[in-house]
Amino acid sequence: MVKYGLTTLKGEKDMISQTAKYLKYAFRLTSQEMVLRDAFGEWLPDQIIDCHCHCNISDHTEKIDPRLINHPASTFSYFDLQWAEQAKHLLFSGKSVCSLYFSLPLFGIDFVNANQYLLNKASALDRIALLGIPSEVDYTISMLRRKEISALKMYYLTTNPPATSLYDFFKPPILEEAQSLGKPIILHLPVAITSSMEDLLRLIKDFPRLVIILAHLGLPAYDHKDLINCYQILSEKKNLFADTSMVTSSHAIWAALVTLGRGRILYGSDGPLNLIRGIKKILPNVGQRILTSYPYHWSDKTEKEANPILPTEMLHFHWHNLLAIKEAIEKLDDNANEIVAKVFYHNAKAILSF
């Protein structure tokens, strides 16, 4: 795993305190963000489905693997339903937003109780994706059978060490059960789609009726010439969909829309990680990084100093994501309003039991 920052938090209490600090900062919109909120209020449909939103409480944060502390995914150790609802009102003022919730997936979180928390407390208008546990196949299958569960999320960072191939964390008996039940899986690839195709195509061949939602559009390498070729190959898999969570490349979103199709791209916020303020940038000999002017515990001062021309007032990734989606849709010749309605509502509604 790539080491992001140079700071190490001391323990669970330190992480919880840090999360509260970050949330306080995130929930104060800048003047530019308020302008964007108003503009997107006119562009977005009145009904929105967010198919990628993390949620758990601080009690579920047992001890996050120290190797993950300096990764941006550890920015928020918790994000409870109350915070999630406030975020909807803050970012989508005047809109009706329903969410597909699942726990933050970092190794060390109490996934059993996080799953139960969502089942007990989430609104009837929202839906729950089970956070499956690779080492607990029987538990994962029995929970997946519950009618309240709409989908299954499993993640390569829930194993120790982190998984490197799909079957290391998406165990075949669990996939067989999901296929039998007709419940979609949310698939976060361990590496970018351009490097994962052999692994992904094997899974598709082994489970041809399985509905797959490729998280983050498959972690596209934005400057990779083979991205469209990958999407074109996957377009033949009619049960494969993709969500836009944390994707800030309009080119990647455009490529997915024109290859996979307008009916197979779903909006996802990746909340609360969409509340991080920063920019993505490809750095020589390092790859894609998040650069930020705010002192998150994972931010690397040496990388910031090497890139001194950074905005002093950075935007949430929420806005970068929406701007990229809008730019991609406006490149198409189709009716933009129809595509917006599909991406932000109808496509998710059709496969996620909303």
Side-chain angles (χ1 to χ4, degrees):
M1 171 169 296
V2 175
K3 181 176 173 61
Y4 253 78
L6 304 176
T7 304
T8 299
L9 299 182
K10 296 177 181 178
E12 177 187 351
K13 290 183 179 180
D14 199 8
M15 288 201 68
I16 291 171
S17 174
Q18 193 79 280
T19 293
K21 175 184 173 182
Y22 292 162
L23 287 172
K24 184 176 180 180
Y25 165 67
F27 273 71
R28 292 195 300 265
L29 292 186
T30 66
S31 57
Q32 186 179 1
E33 287 167 340
M34 287 189 281
V35 169
L36 285 169
R37 180 180 63 181
D38 292 342
F40 277 108
E42 297 179 5
W43 186 77
L44 291 167
D46 290 336
Q47 291 183 296
I48 295 170
I49 293 176
D50 177 356
C51 72
H52 197 123
C53 190
H54 303 288
C55 204
N56 57 274
I57 61 176
S58 58
D59 288 351
H60 303 148
T61 306
E62 293 179 334
K63 185 179 180 182
I64 292 178
D65 189 323
R67 291 171 299 176
L68 306 180
I69 294 298
N70 286 321
H71 190 287
S74 72
T75 304
F76 305 99
S77 60
Y78 68 91
F79 191 65
D80 62 29
L81 286 165
Q82 183 177 354
W83 279 115
E85 288 301 313
Q86 289 182 33
K88 290 179 186 181
H89 293 299
L90 181 75
L91 302 174
F92 295 106
S93 181
K95 304 296 182 182
S96 173
V97 183
C98 297
S99 300
L100 180 71
Y101 286 121
F102 43 93
S103 169
L104 285 161
L106 299 177
F107 184 81
I109 288 177
D110 181 352
F111 300 125
V112 171
N113 282 318
N115 286 329
Q116 197 59 48
Y117 164 73
L118 291 173
L119 286 168
N120 291 344
K121 300 294 186 181
S123 163
L125 298 176
D126 296 316
R127 297 293 180 266
I128 308 304
L130 176 72
L131 201 299
I133 306 174
S135 61
E136 299 289 343
V137 173
D138 291 343
Y139 162 81
T140 301
I141 289 176
S142 66
M143 290 292 290
L144 188 57
R145 290 171 177 165
R146 294 184 58 165
K147 61 181 178 57
E148 306 98 319
I149 297 295
S150 296
L152 171 68
K153 170 68 182 284
M154 300 190 76
Y155 192 50
Y156 74 102
L157 291 181
T158 58
T159 66
N160 188 10
T164 57
S165 69
L166 298 184
Y167 287 163
D168 286 342
F169 63 103
F170 259 117
K171 302 297 184 180
I174 297 173
L175 291 169
E176 184 64 50
E177 189 66 24
Q179 177 174 255
S180 176
L181 293 169
K183 294 188 177 182
I185 67 165
I186 301 164
L187 177 57
H188 187 300
L189 298 172
V191 293
I193 189 171
T194 46
S195 301
S196 297
M197 284 297 288
E198 183 178 350
D199 213 11
L200 178 56
L201 291 173
R202 179 179 65 159
L203 186 151
I204 290 171
K205 181 180 179 181
D206 291 345
F207 302 95
R209 293 179 289 106
L210 182 66
V211 178
I212 300 170
I213 301 172
L214 206 56
H216 317 295
L217 294 185
L219 303 173
Y222 303 143
D223 59 344
H224 204 296
K225 63 181 180 180
D226 292 333
L227 179 60
I228 289 182
N229 290 337
C230 290
Y231 287 157
Q232 286 175 333
I233 293 169
L234 293 173
S235 69
E236 299 176 6
K237 164 66 175 174
K238 300 307 179 184
N239 288 335
L240 185 135
F241 299 77
D243 78 44
T244 65
S245 55
M246 281 293 275
V247 178
T248 61
S249 165
S250 63
H251 171 73
I253 297 170
W254 172 85
L257 284 166
V258 298
T259 52
L260 299 178
R262 283 72 163 163
R264 291 162 62 181
I265 307 303
L266 289 64
Y267 171 69
S269 70
D270 206 17
L273 299 180
N274 65 327
L275 295 173
I276 295 172
R277 287 189 171 105
I279 58 173
K280 291 182 181 179
K281 189 170 183 179
I282 304 294
L283 300 184
N285 305 317
V286 178
Q288 182 173 274
R289 309 291 278 174
I290 292 178
L291 301 181
T292 177
S293 57
Y294 184 76
Y296 295 107
H297 63 269
W298 44 262
S299 62
D300 192 323
K301 292 181 180 179
T302 59
E303 291 179 355
K304 179 182 175 182
E305 290 167 356
N307 294 270
I309 306 176
L310 291 176
T312 55
E313 190 176 80
M314 288 192 163
L315 298 174
H316 292 134
F317 275 104
H318 175 80
W319 309 111
H320 291 304
N321 177 228
L322 289 182
L323 287 165
I325 295 171
K326 187 173 186 291
E327 183 178 341
I329 289 175
E330 290 177 347
K331 287 181 182 178
L332 304 173
D333 295 330
D334 306 45
N335 184 308
N337 289 337
E338 182 180 339
I339 301 172
V340 170
K342 286 182 177 181
V343 170
F344 284 90
Y345 184 74
H346 293 295
N347 294 344
K349 184 176 175 61
I351 64 169
L352 287 170
S353 306
F354 279 92

